[in-house]
Amino acid sequence: MSDWHRIGLVTDIPRRGARCVNSPFGRIAVFRTAEDRIFATEDRCPHKGGPLSQGIVHDSSVTCPLHNAVISLKSGEMRGPDEGRVRVFATRVDPLTEVIELSLEDEAAAIREAAE
Amino acid sequence: MPEKLVVIGNGMAPGRALEHLFEKAPGQYEVTIFNAEPRVNYNRLMLSPVLSGEKTYEDIVTHDDAWYASHGVTLHKGKRVETIDRAARTVTAAYGTTAPYDKLIVATGSNPFIVPIPGSTLTGVLTYRDLDDVETMLEAASTGGRAVVVGGGLLGLEAAAGLKMRGMDVTVLHLMPTLMERQLDPAAGYLLERSLKARGIDVVTKANTHAILGEDKVEGVKLDDGTVIDAKIVVMAVGIRPSTDLAKAAGLDVGRGIKVGDDMRTSDPDIFALGECVEHRGQCYGLVAPLYEMAEVVASQLCGPCESRYLGSVTSTKLKVTGIDLFSAGDFAEGDDREEIVLRDASAGVYKRLVVKDDRIIGAVLYGETADGAWFFDLMKKKTPVSEMRETLIFGQSYQGGSPLDPIAAVAALPGDAEICGCNGVCKSKITGAISARGLTSLDEVRAHTKASSSCGTCTGLVEQLMALTLGDAFNPQAVKPMCGCTDLSHADVRRLIVAKTLKSIPEVMQELEWKTSCGCAKCRPALNYYLLADWPGEYVDDDQSRFINERVHANIQKDGTYSVVPRMWGGMTTSQELRAIADVVDKFQIPSVKCTGGQRIDMLGVKKEDLPAVWADLNAAGMVSGAAYGKALRTVKTCVGTDWCRFGTQDSTGLGVRVERFMWGSWTPAKVKMAVSGCPRNCAEATCKDVGVICTDAGYEIHFAGAAGLDIKGTEVLTQVKTEDEALEMIVALVQLYREQGHYLERIYKWLKRVGMASIKAAVVDDPAKRRVYFDRFIYSQKFSQRDPWADRASGGMASHEFKPMADIPFQEAAE
Ligand code: SRM
Ligand SMILES: Cc1cc2nc3c(=O)[nH]c(=O)nc-3n(C[C@H](O)[C@H](O)[C@H](O)COP(=O)(O)OP(=O)(O)OC[C@H]3O[C@@H](n4cnc5c(N)ncnc54)[C@H](O)[C@@H]3O)c2cc1C
Ligand code: SF4
Ligand code: FES
């Protein structure tokens, strides 16, 4: 079962910036790096819940706006000495139309499992 | 008549030999060079930064066309020499160009080795040796896909890191169990593997490449164990072979390389061989430092009979992958007669190991922190006994003899003949000597005059420390404290270079100043954005994405992700209309808290981000603008009631405060700027702990500055006294402009004063009215571009509207499908 949601165009997000997507699983931050790579994570810093979408994006990381935790957008892991990670969501971009699609499959599956 | 010198190969080694020759004996030879590569001499070591995009070809050219012209050199580009006729004393290149010689240098370098497995001749199997290889790799990288690099040595890993930075997926296949096993021990090899993997490079060790798959171009790689890896290109980096065919055909003595004696002559005394193609005392070299030593000997020998001899070299290795620090030298195999000293700091990813034999260091491996590499290497080459410092040896040089961990003291302690630049063999005294004798003040000048730090660049930090040491106060000691991990340059250097090199955008600064990361970090980007804004008003376009969220959305982020909104209340004055508008906004948007701030104005806390534009529109309609409570910018100007009402008031303190705030609002500054004006020395506006404060007296205005009442508490210093309000305004504005131009990012005024000193500030804004006017005018000019209400710009929906709307909503049903 495919679970890809069209959420907009690459150009809807500023380079080295982020936008939010509201989902049943909470707010998701969708980032666009300087090289136009797209990443999606939950919009909650593992430290104290800071909104990562509001942070500064550099290479494939974001620095949390509240207390400067640096989080890898690829793995969701906190860089440096801190421990912790955020959920990452799969994204894909159609090379012709630049449409971004986001998958909630893992999340949905986890919830189904928990419900069963 | 000059003798004829012909050089075959135009690589790094002969390039250096010619530099020496033209210095020692200008005009003695008429030089002709044949180069198989169709270009001038460039710094081959720097191909990796070109591959990764950190440098361009133009950046790495060593000798441009003008250099050849000025030395009367004939350079045949793209002409490979095919025969040397020793009897006729001529060389002949492809397409028939022939040149006669009196003396000949063979400097053909080496050829990359290609493992002759099935498929190794397919299109897409590349080597990594020259600019053409880099260009082929870049072309492949431009369309993405996977690159397989065969060989986990120095070259292979630099290629892998570069291709990765260019956006390719990369797999490194390495035959041995750990990477760079010839230079690193397994522990360091493991750390290296881990950091490569952390960058998303796949590393497969113990990988025996069986075949390269594909019809006419590369499609994949098959390993002995049957694994198949898809690949668009395969980079072979398994080793190099001295290029000796030409010499062999000419009947010269050839072993693994072209055999030379200590005088660098081949078996034919009129023919020298130089560089990677050489075998000297049974040894071939693949690093540039020994080749440069050979080059000096060749140049001396060409000048006439002399004692100059090459006696072989000990080499050390550094990997030039941005962000990975690795150094190795000597022999570090274990053995009964050897003792090892190991230091690890797992959280910092540091590993250091020294191998000591007979009280001498014989090998060193440093990973993660390599600053002491030069020192260890020096001890090793000089065979210095180490028993006296045995206990602290591993902590490096700064621990020896007093002042621990002060890098300058450590460099000061180095002996004059300690080698600083390994590539060019430049020792400490040569650098300090050149700095003093020629009055060098910049790194570029030191590079030009000594060659130090001009090849692989890893010794740049040491050279800068030597400059600090030699120049003392003339070289800002802060210069050795980098802005952040993305650069070795300090705030002071960066500010200076932005102006000196007229750098006008963040990418330009990063490129020209050799940033170590592709796009900076949350520390340097906001700083660069401010510097560019302050230095190029009207030209530089503010980079929103390099601003902290508060400055990007012009409100303060709160711990729950909502925002607070603080409109300006000029000098702390307000009106019933303003208060009514605030009350209405609070009701309309159900703002949970309203508070008087410590800065004499009103804060509305807990506003939802989506509501911000509408909140601002309403406040704008009542004539209010952003109070910049979030900005490294002019914040508040607190006032007291002054002569308007107070029985002690001496001047119109409220009026002056309002005037200053209206004049200066909107301006960006290195750190926040808070001001206050008190009507008498009772100082009800607390002016004596502000960045800038005014105390009014019967005689006029006492201008104070450099107070602090936050993390530090500090009373202000008096800048000067003036008689009129106009003079007070001009003085304050000029002072702040000077600070805008000199301050380091996040450096409050009191810290700036401490760094630059009162005398220099007074000289600029107090003592010389003409200078003061210049700063004043520059401030006014910059205000033309910054005095715009950011709220109005955004409330209208035009600017940065994406900030305030979610991109999409995924409803529950759709998600559950
Ligand atoms: C709102 C306010 C407290 C209040 O309820 O009164 C306040 C609130 C904050 N202050 Fe402050 N400061 C406020 C007056 C002050 C004052 C008093 C003053 O301005 O007269 C000081 C001491 C004076 C000084 O700055 O030297 C003050 C010293 C600080 C500091 C320490 C600065 C320093 O260099 O030592 C910080 C931290 C920083 O800037 O890094 C800070 C940082 C903050 C931040 C911005 C924390 C943050 O980064 O999010 C708080 C934002 C809360 C918000 O969203 O509104 N605030 N803060 C005051 C707003 C004044 C205004 O109208 O703009
Ligand atoms: C990517 C890369 C990174 C490196 N990094 C480092 C490093 O960090 N540190 C370090 O010390 N070393 C490094 N090296 C090694 C260093 O670059 C070499 O040791 C050095 O360039 C060798 O100089 P050379 O003059 O002997 O030969 P080369 O610079 O290879 O020059 C030989 C030239 O001769 C030409 N030639 C060959 N045959 C003929 C012919 N018959 N007729 C005419 N021309 C001919 C070739 O086209 C070539 O241009 C690196 C090498 C590479 C490829
Ligand atoms: S003193 Fe300032 S920074 Fe600290 S909690 Fe209060 S408002 Fe926040
Ligand atoms: S909430 Fe992100 S660093 Fe504290």
Side-chain angles (χ1 to χ4, degrees):
Chain A
M1 178 176 52
S2 124
D3 184 35
W4 291 100
H5 304 276
R6 294 166 66 107
I7 56 170
L9 298 179
V10 171
T11 46
D12 291 340
I13 312 177
R15 277 211 175 113
R16 298 169 302 154
R19 298 281 302 271
C20 293
V21 170
N22 292 322
S23 90
F25 313 114
R27 230 142 87 129
I28 295 173
V30 186
F31 300 87
R32 174 180 176 193
T33 70
E35 295 89 34
D36 289 343
R37 300 188 63 185
I38 302 291
F39 296 101
T41 72
E42 68 182 313
D43 196 17
R44 277 183 58 81
C45 176
H47 176 227
K48 288 192 173 173
L52 298 176
S53 57
Q54 317 291 296
I56 289 185
V57 179
H58 45 98
D59 44 70
S60 55
S61 312
V62 63
T63 296
C64 175
L66 292 197
H67 317 100
N68 296 331
V70 179
I71 282 137
S72 157
L73 298 175
K74 287 185 193 152
S75 64
E77 275 175 44
M78 275 167 110
R79 294 239 166 111
D82 306 309
E83 298 251 332
R85 64 156 67 213
V86 290
R87 283 214 175 86
V88 295
F89 298 91
T91 54
R92 66 184 186 193
V93 176
D94 182 313
L96 286 181
T97 59
E98 301 225 310
V99 167
I100 310 175
E101 291 178 296
L102 173 74
S103 166
L104 298 173
E105 192 143 32
D106 294 347
E107 196 67 359
I111 296 207
R112 272 197 302 274
E113 252 170 47
E116 272 161 19
Chain B
M1 225 185 60
E3 291 180 83
K4 289 185 166 44
L5 172 66
V6 171
V7 183
I8 307 177
N10 192 31
M12 302 188 65
R16 179 55 59 89
L18 290 178
E19 283 177 15
H20 288 304
L21 181 66
F22 295 144
E23 207 178 289
K24 284 182 212 282
Q28 187 177 341
Y29 286 95
E30 187 183 310
V31 180
T32 305
I33 307 175
F34 286 87
N35 195 23
E37 277 187 73
R39 52 184 71 88
V40 293
N41 182 18
Y42 59 93
N43 186 345
R44 198 175 300 283
L45 279 61
M46 286 291 147
L47 283 177
S48 296
V50 173
L51 178 62
S52 65
E54 292 159 286
K55 283 200 189 305
T56 64
Y57 170 64
E58 286 70 37
D59 294 333
I60 70 167
V61 166
T62 313
H63 297 142
D64 55 13
D65 286 311
W67 186 88
Y68 295 100
S70 72
H71 291 98
V73 174
T74 311
L75 171 62
H76 295 292
K77 296 179 194 168
K79 288 197 180 157
R80 172 176 296 276
V81 171
E82 293 185 329
T83 46
I84 303 172
D85 184 339
R86 284 164 57 196
R89 291 170 163 260
T90 57
V91 302
T92 305
Y95 316 113
T97 315
T98 296
Y101 67 81
D102 298 308
K103 295 277 187 300
L104 178 66
I105 300 177
V106 182
T108 43
S110 48
N111 300 320
F113 182 61
I114 297 190
V115 196
I117 47 172
S120 63
T121 54
L122 287 173
T123 309
V125 178
L126 311 175
T127 55
Y128 188 19
R129 182 71 197 172
D130 59 26
L131 189 70
D132 299 312
D133 296 329
V134 171
E135 280 168 357
T136 318
M137 284 190 238
L138 288 180
E139 200 182 305
S142 67
T143 50
R146 179 169 295 274
V148 169
V149 175
V150 183
L154 184 95
L155 283 191
L157 297 182
E158 290 190 3
L163 290 168
K164 183 76 202 175
M165 279 177 74
R166 291 290 189 168
M168 287 191 96
D169 297 319
V170 179
T171 304
V172 175
L173 302 177
H174 190 53
L175 188 60
M176 305 304 286
T178 57
L179 296 174
M180 289 183 72
E181 76 288 344
R182 281 196 297 154
Q183 293 91 8
L184 296 183
D185 60 7
Y190 156 76
L191 283 171
L192 176 59
E193 185 175 332
R194 203 179 61 171
S195 40
L196 291 170
K197 283 182 172 161
R199 302 169 170 234
I201 296 174
D202 296 329
V203 179
V204 187
T205 52
K206 292 186 256 184
N208 222 335
T209 312
H210 184 84
I212 299 172
L213 310 174
E215 285 295 315
D216 41 32
K217 61 182 185 12
V218 172
E219 284 163 24
V221 173
K222 188 172 180 184
L223 304 184
D224 269 355
D225 67 6
T227 316
V228 171
I229 301 165
D230 284 347
K232 189 160 100 179
I233 54 171
V234 173
V235 180
M236 283 271 189
V238 290
I240 50 171
R241 294 284 152 89
S243 159
T244 58
D245 290 350
L246 184 66
K248 206 182 273 172
L252 298 174
D253 263 4
V254 172
R256 265 200 306 148
I258 305 169
K259 290 193 177 175
V260 295
D262 290 353
D263 58 2
M264 297 305 298
R265 287 171 210 260
T266 61
S267 50
D268 177 336
D270 287 328
I271 304 183
F272 294 84
L274 169 63
E276 280 188 353
C277 58
V278 159
E279 177 182 329
H280 171 261
R281 299 193 184 180
Q283 189 80 32
C284 296
Y285 295 97
L287 291 169
V288 86
L291 313 185
Y292 284 172
E293 290 177 39
M294 294 178 190
E296 268 201 86
V297 177
V298 170
S300 303
Q301 292 285 347
L302 280 170
C303 295
C306 70
E307 290 305 302
S308 178
R309 292 290 182 274
Y310 176 66
L311 302 172
S313 309
V314 190
T315 57
S316 64
T317 310
K318 285 185 178 183
L319 182 71
K320 300 185 306 301
V321 173
T322 302
I324 296 182
D325 291 322
L326 170 166
F327 173 93
S328 102
D331 173 0
F332 40 82
E334 284 169 43
D336 288 342
D337 54 345
R338 297 165 177 203
E339 182 192 6
E340 59 172 15
I341 311 174
V342 174
L343 174 80
R344 284 180 202 264
D345 178 347
S347 61
V350 170
Y351 168 82
K352 301 183 183 182
R353 176 159 165 265
L354 297 176
V355 180
V356 177
K357 184 179 168 187
D358 301 330
D359 201 24
R360 309 287 194 277
I361 298 179
I362 62 163
V365 183
L366 308 178
Y367 189 91
E369 203 182 272
T370 52
D372 283 309
W375 185 63
F376 290 136
F377 190 49
D378 192 53
L379 293 176
M380 188 171 121
K381 281 200 300 189
K382 295 204 189 108
K383 304 193 166 68
T384 311
V386 295
S387 54
E388 300 227 313
M389 44 188 169
R390 170 69 182 75
E391 290 306 310
T392 54
L393 187 62
I394 192 84
F395 299 116
Q397 182 185 21
S398 42
Y399 253 80
Q400 321 303 324
S403 60
L405 296 181
D406 172 3
I408 299 279
V411 176
L414 280 178
D417 60 350
E419 185 172 275
I420 300 294
C421 173
C423 290
N424 293 291
V426 187
C427 67
K428 174 179 158 184
S429 61
K430 177 150 176 206
I431 298 172
T432 51
I435 293 171
S436 324
R438 298 176 188 259
L440 311 180
T441 52
S442 75
L443 184 62
D444 282 344
E445 288 172 338
V446 174
R447 281 179 179 156
H449 283 101
T450 66
K451 296 260 170 342
S453 140
S454 64
S455 291
C456 83
T458 44
C459 63
T460 305
L462 280 176
V463 173
E464 281 175 340
Q465 284 161 13
L466 281 178
M467 294 179 67
L469 191 69
T470 318
L471 294 171
D473 286 345
F475 192 77
N476 184 350
Q478 294 244 351
V480 291
K481 188 161 171 263
M483 258 175 90
C484 65
C486 304
T487 176
D488 294 327
L489 297 171
S490 63
H491 282 276
D493 284 336
V494 172
R495 278 218 88 163
R496 179 173 52 75
L497 290 168
I498 284 175
V499 178
K501 301 181 140 199
T502 46
L503 306 176
K504 296 197 176 175
S505 70
I506 291 180
E508 213 177 319
V509 173
M510 291 185 174
Q511 177 63 31
E512 290 300 316
L513 306 186
E514 302 182 3
W515 239 240
K516 296 189 273 185
T517 52
S518 60
C519 114
C521 70
K523 276 199 190 126
C524 58
R525 284 229 313 267
L528 295 181
N529 191 52
Y530 168 72
Y531 294 155
L532 292 163
L533 207 61
D535 291 336
W536 313 113
E539 284 184 76
Y540 174 67
V541 185
D542 197 353
D543 177 22
D544 251 12
Q545 297 309 135
S546 293
R547 286 192 178 270
F548 181 64
I549 180 67
N550 289 359
E551 291 188 355
R552 207 163 73 222
V553 300
H554 299 276
N556 294 57
I557 193 165
Q558 304 294 310
K559 63 177 199 168
D560 61 355
T562 63
Y563 288 82
S564 73
V565 170
V566 186
R568 272 197 194 283
M569 284 185 175
W570 310 100
M573 297 293 287
T574 187
T575 61
S576 58
Q577 291 96 308
E578 282 183 355
L579 293 173
R580 203 166 286 123
I582 290 176
D584 288 344
V585 162
V586 170
D587 286 345
K588 181 167 165 193
F589 296 96
Q590 298 180 2
I591 297 173
S593 295
V594 186
K595 181 179 180 304
C596 290
T597 73
Q600 297 187 341
R601 44 198 194 166
I602 290 177
D603 194 354
M604 287 160 265
L605 299 121
V607 184
K608 290 203 264 324
K609 191 175 179 191
E610 300 85 288
D611 288 343
L612 286 172
V615 166
W616 296 334
D618 286 4
L619 294 171
N620 278 162
M624 282 180 272
V625 299
S626 166
Y630 44 77
K632 307 301 168 220
L634 178 78
R635 295 281 182 93
T636 50
V637 183
K638 298 208 317 185
T639 67
C640 69
V641 287
T643 43
D644 274 357
W645 300 96
C646 178
R647 62 200 168 104
F648 294 118
T650 58
Q651 309 282 353
D652 179 12
S653 53
T654 324
L656 175 58
V658 172
R659 191 171 164 197
V660 169
E661 189 169 357
R662 288 208 179 263
F663 199 89
M664 300 187 76
W665 74 277
S667 177
W668 297 104
T669 43
K672 50 192 178 188
V673 173
K674 297 174 176 179
M675 303 197 199
V677 185
S678 286
C680 83
R682 288 171 194 78
N683 190 19
C684 298
E686 300 166 326
T688 52
C689 63
K690 293 289 176 266
D691 297 288
V692 181
V694 179
I695 303 286
C696 302
T697 63
D698 286 322
Y701 303 82
E702 214 172 69
I703 315 279
H704 289 238
F705 77 120
L711 298 164
D712 286 314
I713 299 198
K714 185 180 162 297
T716 46
E717 314 272 337
V718 178
L719 180 69
T720 185
Q721 312 231 2
V722 295
K723 289 208 172 57
T724 67
E725 203 181 278
D726 286 349
E727 288 172 296
L729 180 76
E730 187 176 290
M731 193 67 74
I732 293 169
V733 166
L735 173 74
V736 171
Q737 178 63 15
L738 184 68
Y739 166 61
R740 294 183 71 234
E741 292 177 19
Q742 295 185 345
H744 296 170
Y745 194 63
L746 300 187
E747 180 181 57
R748 289 286 288 263
I749 285 191
Y750 71 101
K751 294 187 175 158
W752 164 66
L753 164 67
K754 202 168 139 196
R755 176 166 62 82
V756 303
M758 181 65 100
S760 82
I761 295 176
K762 280 196 171 162
V765 298
V766 180
D767 304 343
D768 183 345
K771 268 194 192 156
R772 173 164 69 241
R773 196 70 211 180
V774 169
Y775 286 106
F776 182 77
D777 288 344
R778 283 218 282 262
F779 183 83
I780 293 181
Y781 180 71
S782 80
Q783 284 294 78
K784 284 213 316 218
F785 310 100
S786 53
Q787 215 168 43
R788 279 179 71 96
D789 180 30
W791 288 355
D793 284 342
R794 285 159 182 76
S796 58
M799 195 167 173
S801 52
H802 61 82
E803 277 285 0
F804 306 100
K805 288 197 296 277
M807 187 181 191
D809 289 295
I810 304 175
F812 188 73
Q813 276 206 319
E814 199 186 321
E817 269 175 345

